[in-house]
Amino acid sequence: MDLASTGFVFISSILVLFMTPGLAFFYGGLVSKKNVVNTTMSVFIMTGLAVILWVAVGYSLSFSGNIGGFIGDLSNPFMHGIDLNSLTSTKIPVSIYSIFEMMFAVITPALFVGAIVGRIRFKFLLWFVILWSIIIYYPMVHMVWSPNGILASLGTLDFAGGTVVHINAGVTALVLSIYLGKRLDFGKETKHYNLSWVLLGTTILWIGWYGFNAGSALGVNNIAMQATMTSTVAAATSMMVWMLLDMHFVGKPQLGGICTGTLCGLVGITPAAGFVTITGAFAIGIVATLVSYYYCNVLKNKIGADDTLDAFGCHGVSGMVGSIMTGLLATKSVNSSVVDNGLFYGGGMKLFATQIIATLVTIIFVSVACAVIIVLLKLVMPMRVTKDEEIKGLDIAEHGETADYMVFYGDTGVDHSKDIEVNADEFKGQISHLDNPNLPKD
């Protein structure tokens, strides 16, 4: 065991896990106050559901055996028969490698929750995640990150999850939002619950992303250091580009905008983090933000798919940009495992074409498989909440809880914003001066 590398991946695993509650704050701050509990719970529940699924069948389907380069087998359910103390090529135990990969299985389905908040039934979401993990996520892991995977054999470069995580989750978000239909108040500006939560969530995600990207080097080495640098540069670049775009098109710099821009940079650099130079990271940060900004503010309305919190616009679009630009900017000078340099480094079209093929295969496979899962699930259970439940908010309708006691309970409770009027006697000491005619009214 390499103690330094093992400790590094151990900490990286914790950082990736930390991203999921960070995402809960990010999404929870963006939605209306009547859907905060539902949104944060829909994200955070993945830390339970995905962990159990990963141990039960996920690791085995991802890394045990090989069926046509598409998926593994079930020879190691609940990791039975796996020597957890055996070492990987970077001298870390299989146990910590499995935990690291487990955390990716947690955060990936949490990402597409942002597209469907406020109108999907919680029960439907849980069953969808179970089937999606088995039919889509584990095969994607095997195809890209298993040595026997078909996309890996093709020469696909995906350092930390451009195809497996971001394009996968982004396309899933788009398909779900199409089948789910538009919100009742689609087109109206949503009053965000708490922009401070959005900033907090972005901060946690950025910190966690160092585990996500640098940790994917699976050891303490120069590649991990490079991934740390490129991730930082891409995030900072995207933040500034999004702010400048807002200043030009909106007329004002906006906190929600720079937070979204930051994530676009982190998403874009994910597949390329350990393969490109600092200049390459700068370029990816710019292009990913420009394309995502255009999609979110122009194309999204033309397409008409109601992706509530732009899960596809951020993760799907920026993930595609990063995956394809890896074929332009990857270089052996950064990582000796790069067999063919990117197009801009004299490697010709081979890697660029490979990255385009891998991106298209991911989009097509995920789209078709998602559609099949949704259609089959809808045969046995409703996908969308009722009109009355959507108007009331899913916090009360689905969970019977609210994040804020100031939320109006509709027909089921009391409007606590009127507590002073209802309980006037209790507040006499504080408000008695308001009735004093000798005090100035202002």
Side-chain angles (χ1 to χ4, degrees):
M1 183 192 301
D2 183 315
L3 294 181
S5 293
T6 301
F8 173 67
V9 178
F10 178 83
I11 293 171
S12 295
S13 301
I14 296 172
L15 287 173
V16 179
L17 175 62
F18 192 38
M19 294 173 74
T20 300
L23 185 68
F25 274 108
F26 181 79
Y27 282 164
L30 286 172
V31 298
S32 61
K33 64 167 61 177
K34 65 183 181 179
N35 289 312
V36 176
V37 171
N38 177 258
T39 300
T40 53
M41 184 174 175
S42 296
V43 172
F44 192 58
I45 198 65
M46 303 305 172
T47 58
L49 181 59
V51 166
I52 293 171
L53 284 170
W54 178 258
V55 171
V57 297
Y59 181 87
S60 188
L61 289 174
S62 298
F63 296 113
S64 297
N66 178 49
I67 301 175
F70 174 72
I71 195 170
D73 56 36
L74 288 173
S75 57
N76 302 109
F78 283 94
M79 301 190 71
H80 177 74
I82 299 290
D83 183 0
L84 298 178
N85 295 322
S86 61
L87 301 179
T88 68
S89 60
T90 56
K91 301 293 194 253
I92 65 172
V94 167
S95 57
I96 195 62
Y97 173 69
S98 174
I99 290 173
F100 182 68
E101 292 295 337
M102 174 196 293
M103 299 314 170
F104 281 68
V106 170
I107 186 68
T108 306
L111 295 174
F112 59 68
V113 168
I116 51 180
V117 293
R119 61 198 195 280
I120 194 169
R121 290 189 179 276
F122 189 75
K123 181 180 177 181
F124 186 96
L125 176 63
L126 291 181
W127 277 107
F128 177 83
V129 170
I130 292 171
L131 296 177
W132 175 90
S133 297
I134 296 170
I135 297 171
I136 298 176
Y137 184 75
Y138 305 146
M140 282 300 308
V141 174
H142 186 83
M143 285 191 284
V144 177
W145 286 336
S146 169
N148 300 316
I150 188 170
L151 292 180
S153 301
L154 188 65
T156 301
L157 294 182
D158 187 352
F159 189 75
T163 53
V164 178
V165 177
H166 295 295
I167 298 177
N168 183 0
V171 171
T172 300
L174 181 63
V175 175
L176 277 170
S177 63
I178 291 173
Y179 273 91
L180 194 58
K182 298 178 182 179
R183 287 164 288 171
L184 295 177
D185 58 354
F186 179 70
K188 298 179 182 178
E189 185 176 355
T190 299
K191 185 176 181 181
H192 303 312
Y193 173 67
N194 193 326
L195 281 176
S196 298
W197 277 26
V198 177
L199 177 58
L200 174 63
T202 304
T203 304
I204 294 174
L205 285 166
W206 191 342
I207 292 170
W209 228 290
Y210 290 115
F212 201 89
N213 284 359
S216 291
L218 300 176
V220 177
N221 52 42
N222 289 333
I223 306 304
M225 303 306 108
Q226 185 73 11
T228 302
M229 179 63 79
T230 55
S231 298
T232 307
V233 170
T237 302
S238 290
M239 175 196 286
M240 297 305 296
V241 171
W242 196 291
M243 184 189 72
L244 292 174
L245 289 169
D246 269 351
M247 291 173 71
H248 178 74
F249 291 105
V250 180
K252 299 175 182 178
Q254 297 187 312
L255 178 59
I258 66 168
C259 290
T260 301
T262 301
L263 295 188
C264 287
L266 290 166
V267 170
I269 197 61
T270 291
F275 302 128
V276 301
T277 64
I278 294 174
T279 303
F282 184 71
I284 289 173
I286 293 174
V287 177
T289 307
L290 289 174
V291 178
S292 282
Y293 192 92
Y294 178 72
Y295 175 85
C296 292
N297 292 280
V298 179
L299 282 183
K300 177 183 173 181
N301 291 331
K302 292 183 178 180
I303 294 173
D306 187 9
D307 175 359
T308 310
L309 303 181
D310 291 318
F312 175 73
C314 181
H315 297 278
V317 174
S318 287
M320 293 173 195
V321 170
S323 181
I324 293 171
M325 290 190 70
T326 301
L328 299 174
L329 299 168
T331 170
K332 297 176 184 178
S333 65
V334 169
N335 192 329
S336 59
S337 67
V338 175
V339 177
D340 299 292
N341 276 340
L343 180 62
F344 291 172
Y345 285 85
M349 288 292 295
K350 185 175 181 181
L351 180 60
F352 183 50
T354 298
Q355 293 301 114
I356 292 176
I357 291 171
T359 301
L360 290 175
V361 167
T362 303
I363 293 170
I364 294 169
F365 167 62
V366 175
S367 298
V368 173
C370 273
V372 171
I373 295 171
I374 293 169
V375 170
L376 292 177
L377 269 180
K378 287 180 72 175
L379 294 176
V380 295
M381 67 180 70
M383 181 180 188
R384 184 165 178 157
V385 298
T386 66
K387 181 178 179 180
D388 288 342
E389 288 172 331
E390 185 173 343
I391 293 172
K392 183 184 297 182
L394 300 196
D395 289 1
I396 292 297
E398 289 270 282
H399 310 288
E401 298 177 308
T402 58
D404 190 334
Y405 80 93
M406 298 292 282
V407 174
F408 181 50
Y409 282 41
D411 296 331
T412 63
V414 179
D415 182 356
H416 289 284
S417 65
K418 300 184 183 301
D419 274 352
I420 291 180
E421 298 175 23
V422 174
N423 303 292
D425 290 342
E426 297 180 27
F427 289 91
K428 275 185 177 179
Q430 292 95 324
I431 65 175
S432 59
H433 70 281
L434 298 177
D435 298 322
N436 190 336
N438 298 321
L439 291 178
K441 294 302 181 184
D442 57 353

